[in-house]
Amino acid sequence: MINFDDLYSVLTAVVPLYVTMFLAYASVKWNIFSPQQCGGINRFVAIFAVPLLSFEFISRINPYKMNLKFIAADGVSKVLTLIVLFLWTNLSKNGSLDWAITMFSLSTLPNTLVMGIPLLKSMYGDDKESIMVQAVVLQCIIWYTLLLFLFEYREAKNLILTSGGGNNISNNNSSSISNSNSQRNDESFWEVQERVERTTRNEDDIVNVIQSLNRVAPAIATAVDDDKRELHLFIWRCRCCSSPGVCEQSVEVCNRENEKAESVEEPNIIESQGSPSMLKKLLKMVCFKLVKNPNSYASILGLSWALASCRWGIKKPQILENSVTILSDAGLGMAMFSLGLFMASQPKLIACGNRLAAYGMVARFVAGPAVMAVASIGVGLRGTILQVSIVQASLPQGIVPFVFAREYNLHPDVLSTAVIFGMIISLPITMLYYILLGL
Amino acid sequence: MINFDDLYSVLTAVVPLYVTMFLAYASVKWNIFSPQQCGGINRFVAIFAVPLLSFEFISRINPYKMNLKFIAADGVSKVLTLIVLFLWTNLSKNGSLDWAITMFSLSTLPNTLVMGIPLLKSMYGDDKESIMVQAVVLQCIIWYTLLLFLFEYREAKNLILTSGGGNNISNNNSSSISNSNSQRNDESFWEVQERVERTTRNEDDIVNVIQSLNRVAPAIATAVDDDKRELHLFIWRCRCCSSPGVCEQSVEVCNRENEKAESVEEPNIIESQGSPSMLKKLLKMVCFKLVKNPNSYASILGLSWALASCRWGIKKPQILENSVTILSDAGLGMAMFSLGLFMASQPKLIACGNRLAAYGMVARFVAGPAVMAVASIGVGLRGTILQVSIVQASLPQGIVPFVFAREYNLHPDVLSTAVIFGMIISLPITMLYYILLGL
């Protein structure tokens, strides 16, 4: 049974996170920070604070003593979800790859680092911290890579559909075009129009093209607008400042990177779907994205250090340790602060409408924990670890999947709602799971 | 005797501070942050991180068990310095109030919070932390107030000199005009010219006026230029973003505040120097500045809490404690990061020329510790506390005096050099003091 003291100790860990978030929210509403200044704080969090925080946690684990059953349960739950979503995409009439990717993000990728570690540590004691860190490692190294791969696959598929001639262009592809193109906000409407025109080779498709244009135009307008409103959170790409002329240097870097990205992307268009050469290019693209992500370095360096230090019994020199902790200490508070800035920058907390928000919340807080429970019991987890594994699946939405969704313009409003609204309602829900499982 | 282990433990505390500073310096040089983004980070540090860090330290002391001898030594050393500077100003031919204020900042106000606490804790043990915190409290509550008072007094004096009619206009006043006016960067050159013209009533002064104009013009140009280059560090005023049109809202607030400030200031012009009514107005002005400074609130709230908690034996509820530490943990690293951003934004590390820099370093690292040593021995400090009191006087220049100097445009280049160049050379110097005193 969980008593009042247990609950209070959880609240002492979680309430400060919300206080920090609210402080940031209030300071944007009171005009203490301009959007550009928020961008600076977010960028600091994305480039220094959060990667150093990940490194600090990951480098402290013992990779030779991972909880294999927990890892198995985590893997099984995600693979189960993927199978169900794959079947739904291919067999159901309503199935779509787009929604499959979004549902995967929503139901399997919680905020393990910033919310998970302090929360579960306060619930189940310091020794369970390592379980959460293992979840962080797996998420960073395996699941985010897979998610990126899915996004790139979808991108490539859409490009093939739009460039593969009349037969492939179905009613679906107009929205695909709008999705795949509007992500590049710097690409003007006319370039998109040209690209759409280039892809159509016979007159039968003119209707489709007109439909496409009708959908592309508002999509781009929205995207550009979004880009002005939204602050960039945990983003390692250089889109951090969006008003034209505000930070030219960053924008220049950004443009250069976009050019590079496009030069890598372009050949995909002429490849056929599913060929080994296309797979290679997709992987190359995924690597390209991962190389730009400081969290990748943090995970890999952290894991390498953990492997080496446990193998040969070396310890970090105190100077190095202190040099990391001086900024990683800032990570937790600054990440929550950054989340608050993001919330304040959104025109509404529920951006995607109430119905989609409700579906998202069900995926996050019901389906996710349920699949995890099935998988955990399946692989033989029992006792406290079973509870940890279910409660961690009921944490609010992770930030990185939202950043990807934004970058690929695939239901960013749904993910943004899951992050923001999820944060607000997650406290009672996670507590409920904690109490129910403790009975 | 100090052995290698002692030295190493000091290095483990100090090197991370420099690593963080260098990281910030490098990230500006590599265009990771635009000036506006740096402004956001600095503003976060000034408004949240450092005040919360001060509050956290101050609220933990026991005000009923302050080290009275150390406080006395601190007070005596500062009063001694003030008396010497006062005599120099009034009796010496070279004496000037302007340099007296700058010398007071340089020789008596070190960086106790960010550099002092970690450094002296690592040198003399955790129990000496409270000595440093006492120095922080006194600095924030007494000495910064006095410094502000001196700046306001000088400002008022200059205004009286410039508006007090022909007889008062000496050869000195041309530089006074340039100093007192060019601080308000928003005030255009023509307004200044008009003001200078208003102050001259007979033809004898035309030569002076021309001299004034010649000096005022470059001073304003420099000030405006500085404002574009310099990032704002530990600043609670709203000048945090300086490019026009970048953050209109902040600028608006700023203008409103300037108006208010000027409406308070204006009547000073017609008052005679030293009258009780002028004193009252000066105090009002100082209060007005303090009210806008989050560090004032942090000190007063921290001290109030410390007084209450030690008197009635109350402890901070854990939720409140954690809500403060989640952001104050970020304070140390972020403050050093902010310092690195500031360094990178300066066109050169030694802004004031080598000769002035050398004088500044002598004031900071020789005169300051020497006066402190005399005062400490005078009030009867012996042993470790004597060492602590001398070593803390040899810390690099505090940031707040630089911010004031910038705000009142009184030798900001000298103070900026003391902060930046002082940080670079302070490590060997402070270590030298530590080793010599430990012999």
Side-chain angles (χ1 to χ4, degrees), chain B residues 155-170 173 176-177 180 195-202 205 266-273:
Chain B
E155 189 94 327
K157 201 176 158 191
N158 287 338
L159 280 171
I160 288 165
L161 280 176
T162 60
S163 64
N167 291 341
N168 281 332
I169 299 182
S170 64
N173 88 317
S176 311
I177 292 173
S180 70
R195 178 187 289 227
V196 172
E197 280 168 356
R198 237 193 302 135
T199 64
T200 56
R201 298 197 198 118
N202 55 51
D205 287 315
E266 225 47 65
N268 289 345
I269 300 173
I270 48 160
E271 298 292 336
S272 70
Q273 191 185 343

Side-chain angles (χ1 to χ4, degrees), chain B residues 11-240:
Chain B
L11 286 176
T12 56
V14 186
V15 171
L17 298 175
Y18 283 87
V19 169
T20 311
M21 201 170 71
F22 175 74
L23 203 64
Y25 185 87
S27 57
V28 172
K29 293 289 172 197
W30 294 336
N31 293 327
I32 293 178
F33 295 105
S34 71
Q36 284 78 18
Q37 293 177 331
C38 293
I41 297 172
N42 293 334
R43 204 167 162 74
F44 173 81
V45 172
I47 295 180
F48 294 108
V50 166
L52 285 170
L53 186 66
S54 309
F55 173 81
E56 183 55 25
F57 278 122
I58 296 174
S59 67
R60 284 204 313 244
I61 62 166
N62 184 342
Y64 303 100
K65 284 188 185 168
M66 305 265 268
N67 190 316
L68 293 180
K69 278 193 179 173
F70 172 77
I71 293 177
D74 187 56
V76 167
S77 75
K78 286 179 172 84
V79 170
L80 261 183
T81 311
L82 277 176
I83 290 172
V84 169
L85 291 170
F86 178 79
L87 292 176
W88 175 72
T89 308
N90 287 292
L91 304 181
S92 160
K93 240 172 53 177
N94 301 319
S96 81
L97 178 62
D98 290 7
W99 279 107
I101 295 174
T102 300
M103 292 307 285
F104 179 71
S105 294
L106 283 173
S107 55
T108 65
L109 297 169
N111 189 339
T112 43
L113 182 70
V114 176
M115 288 292 286
I117 291 175
L119 194 60
L120 285 149
K121 212 167 121 178
S122 69
M123 284 175 171
Y124 299 106
D126 288 356
D127 57 319
K128 295 295 173 297
E129 187 187 290
S130 77
I131 295 279
M132 280 316 295
V133 179
Q134 289 166 32
V136 171
V137 176
L138 292 173
Q139 250 189 24
C140 284
I141 296 181
I142 299 179
W143 304 114
Y144 289 160
T145 312
L146 179 73
L147 188 63
L148 265 180
F149 185 83
L150 288 174
F151 276 115
E152 284 295 332
Y153 173 74
R154 169 184 159 274
E155 189 94 327
K157 201 176 158 191
N158 287 338
L159 280 171
I160 288 165
L161 280 176
T162 60
S163 64
N167 291 341
N168 281 332
I169 299 182
S170 64
N171 270 334
N172 248 355
N173 88 317
S174 50
S175 68
S176 311
I177 292 173
S178 93
N179 282 331
S180 70
N181 284 335
S182 58
Q183 68 125 326
R184 276 183 287 278
N185 301 327
D186 26 340
E187 193 171 42
S188 79
F189 169 65
W190 301 112
E191 283 174 280
V192 175
Q193 190 180 11
E194 201 182 273
R195 178 187 289 227
V196 172
E197 280 168 356
R198 237 193 302 135
T199 64
T200 56
R201 298 197 198 118
N202 55 51
E203 284 171 300
D204 295 356
D205 287 315
I206 285 184
V207 180
N208 277 328
V209 172
I210 292 170
Q211 280 179 358
S212 308
L213 283 175
N214 283 341
R215 299 202 196 177
V216 170
I220 288 177
T222 318
V224 170
D225 205 20
D226 273 346
D227 207 41
K228 276 194 187 128
R229 274 198 310 255
E230 282 180 14
L231 299 172
H232 295 241
L233 195 78
F234 298 82
I235 293 181
W236 41 90
R237 292 201 56 182
C238 45
R239 291 190 185 166
C240 46

Side-chain angles (χ1 to χ4, degrees), chain A residues 255-273:
Chain A
N255 288 341
R256 246 178 290 133
E257 286 188 351
N258 277 350
E259 273 163 32
K260 258 194 283 176
E262 278 173 54
S263 68
V264 179
E265 253 173 297
E266 224 48 64
N268 288 345
I269 299 172
I270 49 163
E271 301 290 338
S272 71
Q273 193 185 345

Side-chain angles (χ1 to χ4, degrees), chain A residues 4-20:
Chain A
F4 179 77
D5 282 355
D6 294 334
L7 274 186
Y8 183 74
S9 88
V10 174
L11 286 176
T12 58
V14 187
V15 170
L17 299 175
Y18 283 87
V19 168
T20 312

Side-chain angles (χ1 to χ4, degrees), chain A residues 118-132:
Chain A
L119 193 59
L120 285 150
K121 213 167 120 180
S122 69
M123 283 174 172
Y124 297 107
D126 289 357
D127 58 319
K128 296 297 173 294
E129 186 188 290
S130 78
I131 296 277
M132 279 318 295

